[in-house]
Amino acid sequence: MLNNVVLIGRLTRDPELRYTSQGTAVTNFGIAVDRGFGSDDENQQSADFFNVTCWNKLAEIVAQYMTKGRLVAVQGRLQSRNYEYNGQKRTAIEVVAQTVKFLDRQDNNQGNSSQGQVSNQKNSSQDYYKELDFNDEDDDLPF
């Protein structure tokens, strides 16, 4: 069986970092994914909205470097969970991210200029872009 999803969209809110009682980092954020244009009669662009959850080191990195409006690619799996709200049973579907790729540059006017930003300012005369790719898995390379 296969449960894999890849989405490219913009963050709809700043990531929210929390820690479980065992000290595990978890970050939640939302993304808006363009659906494209409707039929020829409509000519309206629409979007789908997804909630994304990241765990462990990936959660900390996303919370540190991502802000509302940034373009990201999220690869992970769909997960459903049941909960009760005001006495009514509900179901939530979310993406549990395994990989998050930052696809655009950090705008220098947004304030954050620490080392590790998506945009690396080593040489101001050079247009330098570095895509950050963080996996939640600890892969040991054989070389």
Side-chain angles (χ1 to χ4, degrees):
M1 295 202 223
L2 180 66
N3 181 352
N4 191 32
V5 62
V6 178
L7 300 169
I8 296 176
R10 296 201 177 270
L11 271 71
T12 59
R13 63 183 187 273
D14 288 339
E16 302 165 13
L17 176 64
R18 297 183 324 272
Y19 290 89
T20 66
S21 58
Q22 293 81 23
T24 304
V26 58
T27 295
N28 294 302
F29 61 93
I31 62 172
V33 178
D34 287 341
R35 191 184 292 173
F37 289 93
S39 67
D40 291 336
D41 297 336
E42 296 174 14
N43 276 337
Q44 286 187 308
Q45 195 169 12
S46 60
D48 292 307
F49 297 88
F50 299 95
N51 290 318
V52 180
T53 302
C54 302
W55 292 90
N56 302 315
K57 185 67 175 172
L58 178 63
E60 294 174 331
I61 292 169
V62 166
Q64 182 177 359
Y65 293 110
M66 289 284 87
T67 55
K68 180 179 177 178
R70 297 289 305 274
L71 184 66
V72 295
V74 175
Q75 183 273 323
R77 62 182 168 83
L78 288 178
Q79 175 177 291
S80 65
R81 60 184 170 83
N82 297 315
Y83 66 99
E84 195 168 310
Y85 182 76
N86 289 337
Q88 295 180 346
K89 292 183 179 182
R90 298 186 176 202
T91 301
I93 306 292
E94 62 191 2
V95 177
V96 179
Q98 295 167 337
T99 303
V100 175
K101 290 187 180 186
F102 305 162
L103 299 179
D104 65 355
R105 288 193 219 206
Q106 176 75 26
D107 183 4
N108 290 335
N109 296 329
Q110 288 180 341
N112 266 340
S113 61
S114 63
Q115 292 286 0
Q117 291 295 330
V118 175
S119 165
N120 188 347
Q121 302 283 326
K122 289 183 182 176
N123 183 351
S124 60
S125 64
Q126 177 183 0
D127 186 20
Y128 184 78
Y129 174 74
K130 180 180 178 185
E131 177 181 90
L132 298 177
D133 179 9
F134 299 105
N135 283 320
D136 192 25
E137 302 170 358
D138 294 327
D139 294 331
D140 292 327
L141 298 175
F143 51 91

